[in-house]
């Protein structure tokens, strides 16, 4: 079959699909109030939301790396029973509506939550409606992306490299640190970027668990939603900023990890 | 205290059982030779601690090491496809072992550079494994295994991944390094040439069991299994000897030998000692038979003829004989082996 000759029952839906995906962001660019863009971007509320978004997404990614890489390692290398069940549990936040995730977080880490009550009594720590709560909500939603990506990378590493390291005298921890981890570094980086992008766009779990307090828990997506009700132009500007950030991430990823065959 | 290696390795894996006793003196190079799936690599992995023993022991210089974790055994391994860490330079690969065993960084790197120099890779310290040729990677792997100063060096098919030309070069280099090595070296291979060239002693393993061991020349002269016979390229049969006459099992043919033996024997004779002729050969009735040609193929500058009929054997003849004798599959010829060419030795 000649390459490029696609039957028309496929061409039309394909073209529609492409338009459907490309037009809305394009509309965002077209309708942006370019003349006042500079002034609007410099508004302290926008800057505060942007800063909060970048900081919390980065912290959430850090938390995901800290917990998710060992979890991925256990899933890929651990010989324990019920591994498939654990893997299924890990992916739950992926399919769960984020709002439900937020409610779930409240029931556990909220002031009257199972763990939250104890945290407050023992340490005086309250997580809901705080910046830390934003980080937790984002990490909850974004971690499966990291775990799945890193586990895939770990499965791609020939375990005999780890055996070779063991015969050279390396302990399991040294093997992980100096052999396994460097070999899956591209997978970890790809996973971290996906995770970060997901955390940056997080809305449902964040607003449910952390609320919408400017400067403290109001991230960019929350600011966009709020602005839409009062000042649609501002919502477009904020959306444009998120679009720019995400496009930059995609460009960063494309060169190294997402390029097709 | 006994220097060297004493081991009994029992590993069970489903139907397959490896049960192998191995002994080797310090400084000795032993080749584990056997067909694919014989359990050679499993034996090597058991010695390294990568496969648990169901039974048995591994003693090195009198000290039991089979309960030590892999990373604590005084063992160096050269893996079949080398398994050099792709994200490290050649130098860091070699320095990895000493670093893990507590040598300070700078000293480990100096030692690694010294080992790279010894295997002839001076100036390649900063290369990554993917920038090395197969022969260079093999030498880095050898340097990496030797840099931990093991008392037992294990090499799994160390030359199998190389092309023919590189292989003979690397083989002679490896032979030199093994000769210099003070501990016990065990080389797993299925290539008789590698085994003969590298080892002081061959241990032949088939289906998880030892079938024969001895110095290479001895194994080649007196093979004790069909596999070994094929490997060293001789015809092997079993029979019962009385004086100079051997009555073969499962064959009406009787072979003659020039040294008297008694009882159950192996009889070995080289394909080049089998003469083929059109007419019944002169002389006595022994060592000659009517054979059917089963296959004819080139073998160097000779022609290898596989013979069926009363006695399965190979014969090497000059190319001209193919036309003269009509050596075509299915045709029949007379075959002859003289007594002086038949080696008979007790089973």
């Amino acid at each position: 079959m000649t390459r490029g000759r696609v039957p028309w029952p496929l061409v039309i839906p394909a073209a529609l699909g492409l338009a459907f995906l490309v037009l809305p962001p394009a509309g965002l660019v077209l309708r942006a109030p370019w003349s006042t863009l500079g002034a609007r971007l410099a508004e302290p509320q926008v800057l505060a939301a942007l800063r909060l978004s970048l900081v919390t997404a980065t912290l959430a990614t850090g938390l995901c790396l800290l917990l998710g890489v060992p979890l991925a390692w256990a899933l890929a290398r651990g010989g324990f029973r019920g591994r498939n069940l654990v893997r299924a549990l890990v992916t739950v936040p992926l399919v769960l509506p984020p709002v439900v995730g937020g409610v779930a977080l409240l029931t556990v880490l909220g002031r009257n939550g199972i763990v939250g009550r104890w945290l407050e009594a023992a340490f005086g720590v309250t997580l809901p409606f705080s910046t830390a709560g934003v980080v937790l909500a984002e990490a909850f939603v974004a971690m499966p992306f990291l775990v799945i990506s890193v586990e895939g990378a770990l499965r791609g590493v020939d375990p005999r490299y780890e055996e070779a390291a063991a015969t050279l005298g390396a302990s399991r921890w040294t093997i992980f640190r100096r052999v396994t981890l460097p070999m899956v570094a591209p997978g970890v980086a790809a996973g971290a970027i996906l995770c970060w992008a997901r955390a940056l766009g997080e809305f449902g779990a964040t607003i449910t668990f952390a609320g919408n307090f400017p400067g403290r828990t109001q991230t960019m997506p929350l600011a966009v939603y709020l602005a839409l009700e009062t000042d649609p132009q501002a919502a477009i500007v904020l959306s444009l900023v998120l679009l720019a950030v995400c496009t930059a991430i995609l460009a960063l990823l494309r060169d190294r990890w997402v390029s097709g065959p | 205290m006994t220097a060297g290696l004493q081991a009994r390795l029992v590993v069970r894996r489903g139907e397959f059982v490896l049960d192998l006793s191995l002994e080797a003196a310090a400084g000795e190079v032993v080749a584990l030779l056997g067909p694919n799936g014989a359990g050679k690599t499993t034996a090597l992995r058991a010695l390294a601690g990568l496969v648990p023993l169901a039974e048995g022991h591994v003693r090195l210089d009198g000290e039991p090491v089979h309960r030590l974790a892999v990373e604590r055994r005084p063992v160096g391994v050269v893996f079949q496809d080398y398994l050099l860490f792709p994200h490290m330079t050649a130098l860091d690969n070699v320095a990895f072992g000493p670093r893990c065993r507590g040598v300070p960084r700078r000293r480990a790197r100096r030692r690694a550079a010294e080992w790279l120099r010894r295997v002839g890779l001076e100036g390649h310290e900063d290369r990554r494994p993917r920038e090395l040729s197969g022969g260079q990677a093999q030498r880095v792997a050898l340097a990496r295994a030797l840099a931990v100063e093991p008392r037992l060096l294990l090499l799994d098919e160390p030359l199998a991944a190389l092309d023919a030309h590189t292989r003979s070069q690397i083989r002679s280099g490896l032979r030199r390094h093994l000769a210099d090595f003070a501990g016990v070296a065990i080389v797993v291979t299925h290539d008789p040439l590698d085994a003969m060239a590298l080892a002081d002693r061959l241990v032949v393993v088939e289906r998880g069991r030892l079938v024969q061991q001895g110095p290479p020349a001895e194994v080649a002269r007196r093979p004790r299994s069909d596999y070994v016979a094929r490997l060293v390229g001789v015809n092997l049969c079993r029979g019962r000897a009385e004086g100079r006459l051997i009555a073969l099992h499962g064959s009406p043919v009787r072979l003659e030998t020039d040294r008297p033996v008694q009882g159950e024997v192996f009889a070995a004779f080289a394909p080049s000692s089998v003469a083929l002729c059109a007419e019944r050969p002169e002389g006595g009735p022994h060592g000659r038979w009517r054979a059917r040609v089963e296959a004819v193929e080139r073998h160097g500058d000779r022609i290898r003829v596989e013979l069926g009929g009363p006695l399965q054997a190979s014969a090497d003849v000059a190319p001209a004989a193919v036309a003269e004798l009509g050596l075509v599959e299915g045709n029949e010829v007379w075959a002859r082996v003289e007594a002086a060419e038949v080696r008979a030795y007790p089973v």
Side-chain angles (χ1 to χ4, degrees):
Chain A
M1 199 177 107
T2 327
R3 205 185 152 95
R5 249 176 190 275
V6 187
W8 62 265
L10 294 182
V11 172
I12 292 172
L16 281 174
L18 181 66
F20 178 62
L21 291 178
V22 170
L23 282 181
L28 210 55
V29 175
L30 287 174
R31 290 289 303 277
W34 291 103
S35 52
T36 57
L37 195 68
R40 282 179 182 276
L41 279 180
E43 274 175 31
Q45 262 174 314
V46 174
L47 285 179
L50 183 61
R51 207 177 60 93
L52 186 70
S53 270
L54 294 178
V55 168
T56 53
T58 306
L59 286 175
T61 305
L63 184 65
C64 289
L65 282 170
L66 212 61
L67 305 178
V69 172
L71 184 53
W73 184 86
L75 284 174
R77 290 282 190 273
F80 60 91
R81 286 178 53 190
R83 201 154 51 142
N84 286 334
L85 178 69
V86 173
R87 188 177 295 115
L89 290 175
V90 165
T91 49
V92 164
L94 208 60
V95 290
L96 202 67
V99 181
V100 178
V103 174
L105 281 171
L106 273 177
T107 60
V108 175
L109 295 172
R111 289 197 135 170
N112 293 313
I114 303 157
V115 180
R117 186 182 309 176
W118 173 78
L119 274 179
E120 188 167 14
F123 303 102
V125 176
T126 50
L127 292 170
F129 311 112
S130 70
T131 305
V134 176
V135 173
L136 285 182
E138 290 179 349
F140 176 78
V141 172
M143 194 146 87
F145 288 86
L146 184 93
V147 175
I148 288 170
S149 170
V150 175
E151 195 206 339
L154 282 169
R155 286 177 177 280
V157 172
D158 189 340
R160 293 182 312 142
Y161 282 103
E162 295 165 3
E163 292 183 349
T167 66
L168 291 166
S171 66
R172 311 258 330 233
W173 171 238
T174 306
I175 293 171
F176 176 74
R177 206 167 41 86
R178 291 205 53 205
V179 176
T180 316
L181 200 54
M183 286 180 81
V184 297
V188 174
I193 289 176
L194 277 174
C195 175
W196 189 81
R198 180 67 189 86
L200 190 73
E202 219 308 293
F203 178 82
T206 312
I207 201 164
T208 314
F209 183 61
N212 187 9
F213 304 107
R216 192 142 56 91
T217 71
Q218 192 185 73
T219 56
M220 287 291 277
L222 271 56
V224 170
Y225 182 74
L226 199 73
L228 205 55
E229 292 180 340
T230 55
D231 182 1
Q233 291 285 306
I236 291 175
V237 170
L238 291 168
S239 300
L240 209 56
V241 172
L242 276 179
L243 180 67
V245 172
C246 293
T247 311
I249 292 301
L250 198 66
L252 200 71
L253 260 173
R254 207 197 78 94
D255 288 344
R256 296 194 59 179
W257 300 296
V258 244
S259 52
Chain B
M1 191 180 101
T2 340
L5 169 76
Q6 291 94 33
R8 174 156 179 258
L9 309 170
V10 181
V11 178
R12 294 196 186 89
R13 196 174 282 160
E15 293 283 287
F16 178 80
V17 180
L18 172 80
D19 187 345
L20 188 65
S21 289
L22 263 182
E23 287 199 12
E28 196 179 15
V29 180
V30 174
L32 275 184
L33 194 62
N36 283 334
K40 306 170 304 236
T41 297
T42 305
L44 204 73
R45 290 171 61 81
L47 286 170
L50 295 168
V51 164
L53 290 182
E55 270 176 63
H57 58 263
V58 180
R59 272 196 279 277
L60 258 181
D61 303 329
E63 172 202 347
V65 300
H66 53 279
R67 288 209 185 79
L68 295 180
V70 183
E71 65 266 26
R72 299 190 179 278
R73 295 195 187 191
V75 169
V77 187
V78 176
F79 290 87
Q80 181 168 5
D81 31 13
Y82 319 135
L83 299 176
L84 297 177
F85 304 129
H87 56 286
M88 293 184 197
T89 62
L91 187 77
D92 287 334
N93 263 284
V94 180
F96 184 85
R99 284 288 292 135
C100 289
R101 295 181 188 220
V103 177
R105 179 187 299 267
R106 285 184 58 187
R107 198 132 53 85
R109 290 175 67 89
R110 257 207 315 279
R111 199 200 275 184
E114 170 61 20
W115 273 110
L116 284 176
R117 192 190 58 74
R118 271 190 236 176
V119 297
L121 286 175
E122 207 167 12
H124 291 70
E125 290 86 355
D126 295 330
R127 300 271 181 94
R128 304 259 164 179
R130 64 167 179 280
E131 298 164 336
L132 297 170
S133 69
Q136 290 169 341
Q138 199 277 346
R139 284 181 284 162
V140 174
L142 179 66
R144 184 174 73 169
L146 287 171
V148 297
E149 295 173 350
R151 282 184 283 154
L152 174 62
L153 182 64
L154 306 170
L155 303 101
D156 190 4
E157 303 277 3
L159 303 170
L162 302 172
D163 60 81
H165 175 68
T166 322
R167 197 171 173 137
S168 73
Q169 280 183 342
I170 296 293
R171 189 187 294 123
S172 63
L174 182 58
R175 186 187 158 84
R176 228 177 32 249
H177 290 294
L178 291 180
D180 289 346
F181 180 62
V184 175
I186 310 264
V187 185
V188 156
T189 178
H190 66 271
D191 183 326
L193 182 54
D194 291 345
M196 301 277 170
L198 296 173
D200 303 318
R201 184 153 56 87
L202 304 188
V203 170
V204 183
V205 186
E206 286 179 53
R207 290 183 295 276
R209 305 280 162 146
L210 183 144
V211 293
Q212 182 170 9
Q213 62 171 325
E218 171 66 17
V219 172
R221 252 171 48 80
R222 300 184 153 194
R224 305 187 78 87
S225 79
D226 287 338
Y227 166 75
V228 183
R230 261 200 315 282
L231 216 58
V232 298
V234 302
N235 294 302
L236 182 72
C237 14
R238 271 181 78 161
R240 191 162 183 83
E242 272 183 50
R244 294 208 168 91
L245 212 57
I246 307 161
L248 299 182
H249 295 323
S251 164
V253 178
R254 286 164 174 248
L255 293 178
E256 226 177 338
T257 179
D258 57 359
R259 282 200 200 140
V261 276
Q262 287 299 333
E264 284 293 308
V265 291
F266 284 111
F269 53 97
S272 58
S273 69
V274 181
L276 301 182
C277 35
E279 302 295 323
R280 186 185 166 84
E282 309 272 307
H286 307 307
R288 49 219 62 200
W289 69 97
R290 187 88 173 134
R292 196 178 59 252
V293 175
E294 292 199 328
V296 180
E297 56 194 44
R298 244 196 127 69
H299 200 81
D301 60 349
R302 306 281 287 177
I303 302 297
R304 165 69 50 101
V305 185
E306 300 297 342
L307 300 172
L311 179 59
Q312 294 269 344
S314 306
D316 283 357
V317 297
V322 176
E324 283 165 19
L325 299 172
L327 295 177
V328 182
E329 275 117 272
N331 280 4
E332 296 207 330
V333 287
W334 281 95
R336 189 185 81 217
V337 191
E338 294 305 334
E341 306 282 359
V342 176
R343 288 190 301 274
Y345 42 94
V347 168

